[in-house]
Amino acid sequence: MVKIRLIGFFRFVLGKEVIEVQLEKPTKLINVIGELPDKERAIVLINGKNASFDSEVTNSDEVMIIPIIGGGF
Amino acid sequence: MYGWSGKILRINLSTNKIKTQTFDLNFALKYIGGRGFAVKILWDEVPPGTHPLSPDNKLIIASGPLTTIPMPSSGKIVVAAKSPLTGGYGDGNIGTMAAYHMRRAGYDALVIEGKAKKPTYAYIENDTVQLLPADELWGLKTTDAEEKLKKTHGTVGVISIGPAGEKLVKFATIISEGGRSGGRPGIGAVMGSKNLKAIVFKGTEELPLYDKSLTNKLGTEGYKAVKQKPGYPFWMRQGTVATVEWAQANSVLPTYNFKEGIFDYADNVNGYAMEKIKIRQKGCPSCNMVCGMIIKGDVIAEIDYENVGMLGPNLGIGDYAKIAVLNKIADDLGMDTISLGSVIGFAMEASEKHLINEKIEWGDAATAIQLAEDIALRRGLGDLLAEGTKNAAQKLGNGAEEFAMHVKGLEISAYDCHAAPGMALAYGTSPIGAHHKDAWFISTEIQMGRFVISREKVEKLVWMQRVRGGIFETLVSCRFPWVELGYELENYPAYFKAATGIDMTLDDMFKIADRIYNLIRAYWVREMVVSGNSWSREIDYPPPRWFKHPLTKGPLKGTKLSYEDYDRMLSWYYEIRNWDERGIPTKQALINTGLEDVAVELSKYVNLR
């Protein structure tokens, strides 16, 4: 199963901290997760490496979707 | 002239002389406002080598042309002085009704000089300025002092210091409205050194806007646009406290005095846990992104991410009930929560390493609370810690400097950088010492490849300093609509035009930002050299811990910074800024940014290249 961890705003929007999906074949991340608001303000990491929503993911991958933020006050 | 009132109010507390100085459009356009005005005044007027707590230092309160105009999140003022914590340039900003009233009293800035013979407060109502006795206020908590002053003067804006400022705690801040705190580098101590307890503003004049109806129209659209940003609903729930989860996920949550970037009990102090004890929210004037989260712990306190990070995980405390108490002590007694969290974390580690006799263990909230009060009142160990982490470490010796988490004497704010080389550089090159205001770089860093060391990364960092430390700190408006929700930067030149009538592009603003950065840097160089310190690029290095002690926990276990990589980035940084390899602005850099006179003055202290 591909494991997708959602942080901050994206966790809030999807109402889940982690999404796990069994894939039949390598699939573009966007097709696994569907459309997201404010996608242009997201950082996508697959197994800790920079990637995008168009990157293909497989069952062994761990994905993190991180919002771009600006730090505290 | 529109946008600015063109007036600076000068109060000399030694002579009780009060005068209003005017400035022209050339000055306004060269320095814009906020920290631009502040550093120009400090450079010109405070004699080199002045002791920061002597009457010769000047306390500056400065607004900018966008301060409290009807646009999103504009309710801020800058407070600045030569810093008693760092010995260099120091500033901070506060969201407060004092900003609203100062502008409407007809002043762009206030310069406080000298020292009052007895505790005093200033009451400023439009053209009427009074210096009044503050004997009954001296010693009071900031909240109590402000309440008393509001009882006396009615609807006003108040900024005040607490007992920590009175006792010259080196990281005392200026406080307003209970939980708004500004001036991390000890600007509250400078106010205390002048025997000035509070400044009360009441302004009833209209702002001198170039096009009032256009400003209103842009502002109305702006508030709407901010509210419609996709991130708005989540922001309104957690504000900056959402960063706890974010920082934990990215291994940058300061834990055990920055030994680690993850905390075992982070879930207890994240945004979701906060929502359960939130009782209301508080914002600055003119803001619809109200980010002050008022929580009910053992006491009621207003928190944001920095407070939680530094008073929670950094001390091994995973309990909001106790974080609230520490935070409330800091606000009531008038201290910076970031530095407070850092010095207590430092003490915990010094205790662990038997460098001090006092026992204070990680997570020991009761002792931390006692120590916080002792620091404000300079009792026992608190007296040592009140000097700041750098000074305390120098006094203790025996390797304490390796875990004294500061740059230039200013304690590092709540982001661990073992695994964030660009953010380490942001701290290293921040113009007030280690603070994230000028460039909070971690999102961009992760986006660009976390461990990539490249000139491109450093260019992006400089760009970020131009925007955050340049534009927002001189227009004096909050960066949050842009940085947190993606409210477009291009809106700001439009507001500027509506307020002042002057066309200015973002590029023009960047050039002014570079001028101000050069001047702040010149200030640091002059002050360091004149006080007998040899100047070297090492002033821009973060603490040894991040280079020597790798993370021992989490997905990035084993990670640390490399001096070689850091030096490469620092050299690029200097090149981009046209500073020499010592980190001193070149003569050409000063001339190119319209600072010919600064080049002449600075060359009395160092050879400019």
Side-chain angles (χ1 to χ4, degrees):
Chain A
M1 282 199 289
V2 60
K3 187 176 174 188
I4 303 168
R5 192 164 164 215
L6 302 152
I7 310 293
F9 168 71
F10 297 108
R11 171 176 169 183
F12 169 73
V13 167
L14 293 181
K16 285 177 195 163
E17 206 175 339
V18 177
I19 295 173
E20 287 182 293
V21 183
Q22 185 69 36
L23 300 173
E24 284 172 13
K25 57 179 179 38
T27 311
K28 279 188 180 181
L29 176 61
I30 187 72
N31 295 332
V32 179
I33 198 149
E35 271 304 325
L36 278 175
D38 233 7
K39 217 166 66 203
E40 61 282 7
R41 289 175 60 80
I43 302 166
V44 176
L45 299 181
I46 301 177
N47 305 321
K49 295 214 169 68
N50 289 74
S52 77
F53 285 102
D54 290 326
S55 303
E56 285 196 338
V57 290
T58 65
N59 280 325
S60 58
D61 287 335
E62 287 202 13
V63 179
M64 199 145 81
I65 301 180
I66 309 165
I68 290 176
I69 58 167
F73 228 101
Chain B
M1 182 161 68
Y2 294 99
W4 299 267
S5 66
K7 287 194 287 186
I8 296 174
L9 179 67
R10 285 177 177 268
I11 298 175
N12 188 314
L13 293 169
S14 297
T15 61
N16 288 344
K17 267 195 185 147
I18 293 158
K19 63 176 182 184
T20 303
Q21 174 197 6
T22 57
F23 61 84
D24 63 12
L25 191 59
N26 284 335
F27 177 84
L29 290 177
K30 198 163 178 183
Y31 298 100
I32 305 295
R35 70 155 41 147
F37 284 2
V39 70
K40 172 65 175 160
I41 292 166
L42 292 173
W43 171 264
D44 283 349
E45 300 180 17
V46 175
T50 293
H51 191 289
L53 299 176
S54 76
D56 285 344
N57 196 4
K58 300 197 180 189
L59 168 66
I60 294 156
I61 321 287
S63 67
L66 300 194
T67 299
T68 67
I69 72 166
M71 61 167 261
S73 312
S74 61
K76 291 238 163 192
I77 41 172
V78 165
V79 295
K82 181 177 176 182
S83 161
L85 186 60
T86 68
Y89 172 78
D91 72 17
N93 66 53
I94 313 177
T96 165
M97 280 305 287
Y100 176 94
H101 282 285
M102 184 173 99
R103 287 272 277 162
R104 282 159 186 78
Y107 307 105
D108 295 310
L110 191 60
V111 181
I112 313 277
E113 312 168 342
K115 177 182 180 178
K117 285 182 191 71
K118 291 200 308 176
T120 298
Y121 76 95
Y123 178 72
I124 299 163
E125 182 175 345
N126 301 333
D127 289 339
T128 307
V129 181
Q130 292 173 280
L131 298 174
L132 300 166
D135 304 279
E136 284 182 14
L137 301 171
W138 205 253
L140 290 187
K141 292 174 182 171
T142 57
T143 31
D144 296 339
E146 181 160 341
E147 199 186 312
K148 268 196 161 199
L149 288 164
K150 284 182 169 166
K151 240 180 216 163
T152 309
H153 296 290
T155 307
V156 291
V158 178
I159 55 175
S160 72
I161 56 165
E166 297 167 12
K167 293 199 175 288
L168 313 179
V169 171
K170 295 279 170 68
F171 47 88
T173 51
I174 297 176
I175 306 275
S176 188
E177 298 166 29
R180 287 52 243 306
S181 177
R184 288 195 58 212
I187 311 304
V190 173
M191 192 159 156
S193 74
K194 298 187 175 305
N195 272 333
L196 183 64
K197 177 70 179 178
I199 307 172
V200 182
F201 294 97
K202 187 179 175 79
T204 56
E205 294 172 13
E206 274 212 29
L207 288 180
L209 297 172
Y210 170 72
D211 189 334
K212 195 178 164 190
S213 71
L214 178 62
T215 308
N216 284 336
K217 180 175 166 285
L218 291 175
T220 306
E221 289 167 5
Y223 283 113
K224 212 167 137 193
V226 166
K227 230 172 172 168
Q228 284 171 348
K229 290 290 175 190
Y232 187 80
F234 180 58
W235 174 266
M236 291 301 283
R237 284 179 58 163
Q238 297 191 1
T240 62
V241 184
T243 307
V244 176
E245 181 200 22
W246 196 102
Q248 171 85 348
N250 290 294
S251 299
V252 295
L253 186 67
T255 303
Y256 304 120
N257 193 32
F258 292 89
K259 282 185 190 178
E260 306 292 346
I262 61 163
F263 182 49
D264 288 345
Y265 307 101
D267 287 353
N268 295 351
V269 292
N270 69 13
Y272 294 93
M274 182 277 296
E275 284 192 69
K276 290 185 189 143
I277 51 167
K278 179 168 78 175
I279 51 175
R280 58 179 187 276
Q281 284 170 243
K282 177 170 165 45
C284 303
S286 319
C287 185
N288 68 340
M289 285 176 69
V290 287
C291 67
M293 300 292 163
I294 317 272
I295 59 165
K296 191 168 186 310
D298 283 353
V299 296
I300 291 169
E302 179 181 347
I303 57 154
D304 91 329
Y305 168 73
E306 299 298 326
N307 318 141
V308 178
M310 295 306 294
L311 300 172
N314 197 52
L315 306 181
I317 296 173
D319 181 355
Y320 267 126
K322 307 301 176 204
I323 292 170
V325 177
L326 284 164
N327 196 90
K328 176 86 172 132
I329 290 170
D331 288 342
D332 277 349
L333 304 185
M335 289 180 286
D336 173 42
T337 53
I338 296 170
S339 289
L340 181 65
S342 190
V343 293
I344 297 177
F346 172 81
M348 287 174 165
E349 188 158 353
S351 172
E352 182 183 60
K353 292 183 159 62
H354 307 292
L355 297 179
I356 54 174
N357 295 326
E358 291 80 356
K359 279 307 285 173
I360 170 165
E361 288 179 11
W362 300 111
D364 177 357
T367 309
I369 287 165
Q370 183 59 52
L371 193 51
E373 288 177 353
D374 289 346
I375 290 167
L377 302 173
R378 284 188 172 274
R379 294 186 299 223
L381 175 63
D383 190 35
L384 173 73
L385 299 175
E387 291 297 302
T389 314
K390 181 186 177 187
N391 292 325
Q394 278 172 353
K395 259 201 183 140
L396 289 184
N398 289 315
E401 286 168 16
E402 283 213 356
F403 60 89
M405 301 308 289
H406 70 89
V407 177
K408 299 181 178 70
L410 182 66
E411 286 76 14
I412 295 167
S413 57
Y415 306 97
D416 185 77
C417 294
H418 279 92
M423 186 67 217
L425 183 67
Y427 278 134
T429 59
S430 154
I432 60 167
H435 193 52
H436 59 279
K437 170 175 67 180
D438 284 69
W440 189 83
F441 196 63
I442 309 176
S443 276
T444 308
E445 173 138 57
I446 295 171
Q447 210 173 12
M448 294 180 85
R450 184 151 185 173
F451 299 106
V452 169
I453 304 296
S454 70
R455 187 180 165 108
E456 194 193 348
K457 209 179 215 185
V458 181
E459 278 167 358
K460 193 78 184 167
L461 169 60
V462 173
W463 175 84
M464 196 174 273
Q465 289 179 332
R466 284 173 180 144
V467 178
R468 296 173 58 130
I471 294 178
F472 285 104
E473 295 301 316
T474 55
L475 296 176
V476 193
S477 185
C478 180
R479 62 185 181 263
F480 277 0
W482 164 67
V483 78
E484 297 293 355
L485 298 180
Y487 180 60
E488 295 72 13
L489 207 49
E490 289 67 26
N491 289 302
Y492 292 89
Y495 285 117
F496 186 82
K497 171 77 195 263
T500 67
I502 290 161
D503 283 303
M504 198 177 281
T505 63
L506 286 173
D507 275 343
D508 296 331
M509 292 181 178
F510 291 158
K511 285 187 188 126
I512 296 166
D514 286 352
R515 171 180 305 133
I516 291 162
Y517 257 68
N518 284 342
L519 186 53
I520 294 178
R521 190 65 170 189
Y523 191 86
W524 275 97
V525 174
R526 189 176 69 177
E527 292 307 321
M528 290 302 116
V529 171
V530 84
S531 51
N533 300 300
S534 61
W535 177 269
S536 110
R537 62 192 277 147
E538 285 179 23
I539 197 170
D540 293 333
Y541 283 8
R545 156 148 291 163
W546 288 339
F547 297 94
K548 292 185 175 174
H549 313 152
L551 295 173
T552 69
K553 283 182 177 177
L556 297 176
K557 184 178 165 178
T559 308
K560 60 179 181 172
L561 296 179
S562 130
Y563 274 115
E564 198 181 309
D565 287 344
Y566 187 83
D567 252 335
R568 276 167 72 205
M569 289 196 299
L570 188 58
S571 291
W572 283 320
Y573 180 88
Y574 293 160
E575 271 175 41
I576 294 162
R577 287 215 170 273
N578 200 3
W579 297 354
D580 66 27
E581 72 274 16
R582 299 168 298 173
I584 298 173
T586 60
K587 197 171 175 188
Q588 203 55 50
L590 295 170
I591 291 169
N592 289 349
T593 50
L595 298 174
E596 293 83 354
D597 54 331
V598 174
V600 172
E601 165 73 4
L602 190 58
S603 59
K604 293 177 193 163
Y605 301 90
V606 283
N607 286 324
L608 294 184
R609 294 178 187 163

